[in-house]
Amino acid sequence: MKVLLVGNGGREHAIARALVRTSTPEQPVSLVVQAGNPALEQLGRSLTMDPLDPKDVVRRATSEKVDLVVVGPEAPLVAGVADAVLDYGIPVFGPTKDAARLEASKSFAKQIMADAGVATARSFTCTTMEQVEAAFDVLGAPYVVKDDALAAGKGVVVTTDRAQASSHARSCLSRDGGAVVIEDYLDGPEVSLFCFADGATVVPLQPAQDFKRVGDGNEGPNTGGMGAYSPLLWLPEEATQRIVDEVAQPVITEMARRGTPFRGVLYCGLAMTSKGIRVVEFNVRFGDPETQVVLERLDSPLAPILYAAATGTLAKVPAPVWSEDAAVTVVMASGGYPGRTDIGHPITGIEAAEALAGVHVIHAGTSEEITDALVNSGGRVLDVVARAATLDEARALAYRGVGLIHFDGEHHRSDIATWPADLAVTLD
Ligand code: GLY
């Protein structure tokens, strides 16, 4: 199967690695990838393309005669890349623009959940500061303020500081047509569960947990994610099926009922609250860096299941097979991240890290174009991924890998894949 993969960050490097790693002689996979990530480029034929230009993606897909287009990031989906590719009769893994509204509009996602009977935080959609302040009065602290529109990971502020909450809301509203969703704070540990969907059938992957704040102990500002692990030993076994039954399936059924079937991966961001499972957010693509650990645990071919999701045949393909192994990833970030980042520093030690059995390094923000050497070129730079028999071993191995890699200004969390000893989740 020839696959065109759109996007060139860490998530796409992890997807490409999984496609190649799980390729078999009976079902070989060849990849065409988007140029710009030196490690991703090693895994297939690389082409420059504008991922936000549907026509450009269609041009690449048709000239390369691919069997499947896989769209990694949300922005091309919201720009209508899947719609354009489908118009040319090429299967695409990733929802149409209408279905991508589940991520592109927080208020739309709330409406779908209300119509589908899915439990989420109480919320108010506001278009004026008067409405925002009234919502703060009703819901109280901590204040959860979400930009209604896509904001490249910078849309959500959770704070007990009302002035900071108001200021974020004001800046979201200052854009033409700006709106914010103010919602109740959901307590309880968060879980990311990705579900393949083909418009009707839902197939869950393995749960993972992301570490969103920049500093140890969940201190500091939100980031795109500083590390992740899977499996979640503290999560009751039946949680996955409960999430499918109570969240993913009702949403997929509701999207089909509305005439906008969802095909691709539905990322369910959930809080395991004392009152039960509650949805924090939906995304319409794989999470980053959770994908790096979830796909690392996949022991069956990835390409056929992505193709099945794209073509409405998920019910006919075997369920994915998961390793009992644990996987941990630690993100190494540039100085200044998640603020203004300090880039252009040579990176050393990747080969030494990858020489450790069970370790590989995903490139999220590296470049060989600024100088001839490999340098950091983004906020999140590398994801050191380790797979081992237990979480303790995988965590130790990932940090051994991190210790071998260096670039000026680098920082990472030192508590990835740890959780409070008294963490206990019961499903009502
Ligand atoms: N790890 C969070 C996200 O992918 O949105």
Side-chain angles (χ1 to χ4, degrees):
M1 188 187 311
K2 191 169 183 185
V3 178
L4 171 67
L5 178 58
V6 178
N8 63 5
R11 164 185 41 222
E12 289 73 35
H13 185 194
I15 294 169
R17 177 184 148 85
L19 284 167
V20 171
R21 184 178 63 77
T22 63
S23 172
T24 61
E26 302 75 45
Q27 297 169 305
V29 174
S30 69
L31 283 182
V32 180
V33 301
Q34 184 185 324
N37 177 330
L40 176 60
E41 287 176 14
Q42 303 298 314
L43 298 178
R45 176 172 145 67
S46 75
L47 298 175
T48 51
M49 82 181 97
D50 178 356
L52 298 181
D53 177 357
K55 285 196 187 123
D56 200 27
V57 176
V58 165
R59 225 175 352 255
R60 300 306 185 185
T62 50
S63 68
E64 290 294 320
K65 298 190 172 52
V66 299
D67 303 298
L68 175 69
V69 175
V70 175
V71 183
E74 64 278 15
L77 295 166
V78 174
V81 161
D83 307 64
V85 173
L86 284 172
D87 282 347
Y88 276 78
I90 302 171
V92 58
F93 180 85
T96 59
K97 188 175 178 171
D98 283 344
R101 288 183 73 207
L102 276 173
E103 177 166 356
S105 168
K106 304 293 173 213
S107 54
F108 175 77
K110 288 283 183 191
Q111 189 57 54
I112 293 290
M113 284 186 267
D115 293 351
V118 170
T120 183
R122 190 161 56 127
S123 69
F124 297 93
T125 300
C126 307
T127 53
T128 67
M129 279 311 289
E130 290 69 34
Q131 292 169 343
V132 167
E133 296 300 341
F136 287 162
D137 288 341
V138 172
L139 298 177
Y143 306 104
V144 181
V145 184
K146 296 183 172 179
D147 196 336
D148 186 45
L150 278 191
K154 297 197 166 61
V156 181
V157 164
V158 181
T159 178
T160 51
D161 179 341
R162 184 153 173 166
Q164 193 194 350
S166 298
S167 158
H168 180 60
R170 195 170 296 108
S171 85
C172 299
L173 294 182
S174 66
R175 276 197 323 269
D176 262 358
V180 282
V181 174
I182 310 296
E183 65 180 39
D184 253 338
Y185 176 72
L186 295 172
D187 64 341
E190 290 194 10
V191 170
S192 303
L193 183 72
F194 307 150
C195 294
F196 293 132
D198 67 357
T201 300
V202 171
V203 174
L205 286 78
Q206 288 286 299
Q209 193 178 42
D210 180 20
F211 288 67
K212 290 210 171 76
R213 302 255 177 190
V214 73
D216 284 357
N218 295 322
E219 296 293 331
N222 262 332
T223 68
M226 294 297 288
Y229 67 100
S230 176
L232 308 183
L233 302 180
W234 47 267
L235 188 68
E237 183 100 18
E238 64 273 24
T240 298
Q241 194 55 47
R242 288 276 301 269
I243 296 164
V244 170
D245 294 343
E246 295 174 20
V247 176
Q249 188 66 64
V251 165
I252 295 304
T253 302
E254 174 61 17
M255 294 299 284
R257 191 193 67 76
R258 287 172 170 240
T260 52
F262 184 100
R263 298 193 184 92
V265 61
L266 180 67
Y267 167 145
C268 303
L270 308 144
M272 300 290 130
T273 76
S274 49
K275 294 187 187 126
I277 299 166
R278 297 285 181 276
V279 173
V280 176
E281 64 175 354
F282 289 123
N283 295 313
V284 298
R285 36 81 190 169
F286 284 109
D288 188 350
E290 298 99 307
T291 301
Q292 285 77 323
V293 290
V294 172
L295 293 186
E296 189 56 24
R297 298 186 56 223
L298 180 66
D299 273 353
S300 53
L302 178 59
I305 202 154
L306 299 187
Y307 188 83
T311 53
T313 54
L314 266 182
K316 296 188 186 140
V317 296
V321 177
W322 300 102
S323 166
E324 294 288 313
D325 282 354
V328 172
T329 187
V330 177
V331 172
M332 301 181 75
S334 292
Y337 179 76
R340 202 182 147 92
T341 53
D342 177 19
I343 60 170
H345 300 290
I347 303 171
T348 58
I350 292 178
E351 273 184 22
E354 293 200 311
L356 299 171
V359 173
H360 69 273
V361 178
I362 293 291
H363 290 229
T366 68
S367 172
E368 287 173 337
E369 283 167 22
I370 303 174
T371 68
D372 277 345
L374 187 75
V375 299
N376 63 320
S377 61
R380 292 186 292 174
V381 180
L382 301 170
D383 309 316
V384 179
V385 184
R387 175 172 168 172
T390 68
L391 266 173
D392 283 345
E393 288 171 274
R395 183 190 313 111
L397 200 49
Y399 278 110
R400 272 183 69 198
V402 168
L404 294 167
I405 299 174
H406 176 80
F407 52 93
D408 283 354
E410 183 276 329
H411 66 96
H412 58 267
R413 281 183 62 158
S414 61
D415 61 352
I416 301 300
T418 61
W419 59 91
D422 60 354
L423 180 58
V425 170
T426 48
L427 301 174
D428 49 43

